[in-house]
Amino acid sequence: MGTDPVTLFLCGDVMLGRGVDQILPHPGDPTLREPYLRDARDYVEAAEAVGGPIPRPVPYAWPWGDALALLDRAAPDVRVLNLETSVTRSDDFAPGKEVHYRMDPANLPCLAEARPDVCALANNHVLDFGVRGLQETLAALADARLTAVGAGWDAQEARRPAVVEVGGDRRVLVFSFGTASSGISWTWAAADAVPGVDFVSEASSADAAAVVDRVRRAKQPGDIVVASVHWGSNWGYRIPREQVRFAHALIDGGVDVVHGHSSHHPRPVEVYRGRIILYGCGDFIDDYEGITGHEQYRDDLRLLYFVSVDPGSGELADAWAAPVQTRQLRLRHASAEDAQYLRDVLDRVSHGFGVRVDPGPDGTLVLRPARNRA
């Protein structure tokens, strides 16, 4: 069995629907049922108002921008992202929701540009267009040979981890599940013969124990386990105690990396028992450019996280992040000033979790334990 560290690429919410879908080669129906906007193209106009004209249609690689070169240069062994949109032409708008995301299945080559190994689906937008929309999403991803996890045609499939073989003798197991705190309705939970997501009603000890039981049954010696969890509110840096307890319980039970997402901006990082917890990776690709109201969080700044794990012990070997900024619905290298801003914020909010954030080469951020934690 290989002993070199396994490097994972992790990022937050990849939302290729709505405005992003409209600039791609095969825009779907732009109809919205939001309180203030009724056409997805209005989000493109809002982005153009602050960033400048966006050519249409753009190449499939456009939304990823400079992130693709960063990915190729880092050459991670496994790429994991949270795909937070339905891939469907369904018009079954989920009732009781103000925001619905869908991308046309013909635009899936855009997702494929990033060559994801695993697409986590247990989030609060994958059923925006009902069960029919989820079924079409699952079928479209399967046809494109893109691995989905966290949602399925029934509970057994939704709970089954994705397995990625690395180098022929190592495995990375990815579990995807979502909590009520991120806005996922309990009615979206997969059940026997019922399509849906792997839903966790609350981040309690009982829920953690149920996940840990699944991890222990699936994990083999030398496996690296990632828990990709959609949880928490959209804004703010405070991490509720129940989330901390839940993350610790997962690691105590055999999880090696906690990949948290749902927040619109990066949240604290913790190293607990030698394993990393990303409480919130923040948005990655979306159509929020031009939307105002929370400018203090600088949600235009995004991070690519790279986490290296020792396959023998499961402990963290190295972790760093590359800052980018969205402009014209496209990711671009962040300026030195913006990279410093992200470093300062992450260092400050992660200090209480025993992590310091140092400047790295080429504007990267290095995530290091500041002290040993039991």
Side-chain angles (χ1 to χ4, degrees):
M1 179 176 294
T3 57
D4 292 338
V6 173
T7 300
L8 313 171
F9 161 66
L10 305 165
C11 71
D13 303 344
V14 173
M15 310 178 83
L16 299 175
R18 208 168 62 177
V20 177
D21 181 65
Q22 293 302 302
I23 66 173
L24 293 172
H26 301 283
D29 185 348
T31 301
L32 302 177
R33 294 184 183 177
E34 299 181 6
Y36 304 106
L37 296 178
R38 296 289 173 158
D39 193 307
R41 291 168 290 194
D42 292 339
Y43 284 94
V44 182
E45 294 180 5
E48 291 181 318
V50 297
I54 300 171
R56 279 175 263 182
V58 298
Y60 288 121
W62 177 276
W64 302 95
D66 293 333
L68 293 180
L70 288 167
L71 276 167
D72 288 342
R73 188 156 61 245
D77 298 295
V78 180
R79 304 180 182 200
V80 181
L81 55 82
N82 174 50
L83 179 61
E84 195 165 5
T85 187
S86 297
V87 185
T88 181
R89 297 186 181 97
S90 170
D91 290 321
D92 296 340
F93 285 82
K97 293 200 71 183
E98 291 189 350
V99 177
H100 301 80
Y101 282 94
R102 63 180 166 184
M103 67 180 293
D104 194 283
N107 283 328
L108 263 183
C110 177
L111 178 61
E113 285 284 343
R115 305 198 306 277
D117 294 289
V118 179
C119 300
L121 298 185
N123 55 60
N124 61 313
H125 285 293
V126 75
L127 270 130
D128 277 355
F129 290 86
V131 169
R132 185 159 66 99
L134 173 62
Q135 291 172 328
E136 190 174 0
T137 299
L138 295 170
L141 291 171
D143 288 345
R145 299 194 175 185
L146 294 167
T147 299
V149 65
W153 297 83
D154 55 29
Q156 183 178 5
E157 184 178 11
R159 293 171 181 168
R160 183 182 303 134
V163 180
V164 182
E165 294 188 358
V166 180
D169 61 355
R170 290 174 291 182
R171 304 194 313 168
V172 174
L173 276 56
V174 181
F175 292 81
S176 167
F177 49 92
T179 74
S181 62
S182 70
I184 302 175
S185 169
W186 66 268
T187 61
W188 287 16
D192 291 342
V194 177
V197 302
D198 187 3
F199 175 76
V200 176
S201 61
E202 58 179 296
S204 68
S205 56
D207 294 306
V211 174
V212 163
D213 180 64
R214 282 189 275 146
V215 169
R216 287 175 172 165
R217 282 188 278 117
K219 188 176 185 179
Q220 299 175 8
D223 286 348
I224 294 170
V225 174
V226 178
S228 188
V229 52
H230 204 64
W231 60 1
S233 60
N234 291 332
W235 306 101
Y237 298 107
R238 179 184 171 274
I239 307 300
R241 289 182 180 178
E242 59 268 24
Q243 285 187 12
V244 176
R245 287 195 297 265
F246 188 79
H248 289 185
L250 293 180
I251 288 176
D252 291 340
V255 169
D256 302 300
V257 176
V258 176
H259 170 220
H261 35 80
S262 181
S263 60
H264 288 325
H265 57 86
R267 278 186 166 151
V269 179
E270 181 177 16
V271 175
Y272 169 74
R273 298 188 64 183
R275 289 155 175 83
I276 196 165
I277 302 168
L278 305 173
Y279 281 104
C281 289
D283 291 328
F284 198 64
I285 293 178
D286 57 34
D287 61 359
Y288 296 166
E289 190 179 348
I291 300 176
T292 59
H294 295 277
E295 289 83 352
Q296 71 269 33
Y297 294 108
R298 290 297 308 272
D299 62 315
D300 60 314
L301 301 179
R302 318 290 167 85
L303 286 173
L304 295 84
Y305 292 86
F306 297 94
V307 174
S308 295
V309 178
D310 180 88
S313 66
E315 293 189 354
L316 179 68
D318 189 26
W320 59 282
V324 290
Q325 182 183 34
T326 183
R327 184 171 174 270
Q328 297 172 299
L329 301 182
R330 186 170 185 263
L331 296 177
R332 304 166 186 262
H333 293 293
S335 68
E337 181 181 14
D338 285 337
Q340 180 65 37
Y341 167 83
L342 278 175
R343 192 206 75 80
D344 290 344
V345 170
L346 263 188
D347 185 65
R348 173 173 54 82
V349 301
S350 302
H351 178 76
F353 291 96
V355 168
R356 73 173 190 264
V357 182
D358 295 331
D362 300 321
T364 59
L365 314 180
V366 180
L367 314 174
R368 292 192 173 106
R371 61 180 184 273
N372 293 326
R373 290 172 63 87

